[in-house]
Amino acid sequence: LVLLFIHFIFIALLFLENEMTVNINVLLFAGCREVTGASSVKLDVPADITTNRLLEKIVSMFPGLEDSIATLIVAHNEEYVDMHEPLSLKENDDVALLPPMSGG
């Protein structure tokens, strides 16, 4: 029984080590910049985080963003992203939170 427990702990540690985290730059524009008081923040996140999960993490750090988060446009390294797809992030990637765009 003790050996089984040790084996379980070993497997759990391997699993945790395999979840790769990366440090990214979150670029904040317009209202996001005003609410946070910063033009960018650095975050450690799982490399395969979805956009929705990333936004949840950002809102947990800056609750004042909660009201505007649904209208934001998100870009990963200058490419617009789908809100439900994994981002496939790499170390030092940029993720920008952009206000809705209007114009004619």
Side-chain angles (χ1 to χ4, degrees):
L1 187 59
V2 172
L3 289 176
L4 183 60
F5 179 74
I6 291 171
H7 186 270
F8 174 78
I9 297 296
F10 179 74
I11 297 296
L13 289 173
L14 282 177
F15 176 78
L16 289 174
E17 288 178 359
N18 286 337
E19 183 178 323
M20 190 172 136
T21 60
V22 293
N23 187 266
I24 62 167
N25 306 305
V26 179
L27 308 175
L28 305 162
F29 296 92
C32 293
R33 181 181 294 183
E34 292 171 21
V35 169
T36 63
S39 59
S40 67
V41 293
K42 289 231 179 234
L43 291 179
D44 289 320
V45 296
D48 62 349
I49 195 169
T50 63
T51 305
N52 282 336
R53 288 292 217 192
L54 178 61
L55 292 176
E56 288 172 8
K57 182 174 179 77
I58 293 168
V59 167
S60 74
M61 295 172 60
F62 302 104
L65 291 176
E66 188 168 13
D67 291 340
S68 61
I69 212 79
T71 61
L72 292 177
I73 298 167
V74 180
H76 171 217
N77 291 335
E78 301 181 9
E79 299 274 335
Y80 295 122
V81 296
D82 182 278
M83 297 302 268
H84 305 287
E85 295 295 317
L87 290 172
S88 300
L89 298 168
K90 295 182 178 68
E91 194 71 16
N92 296 314
D93 275 2
D94 291 326
V95 174
L97 304 186
L98 307 162
M101 303 202 194
S102 63

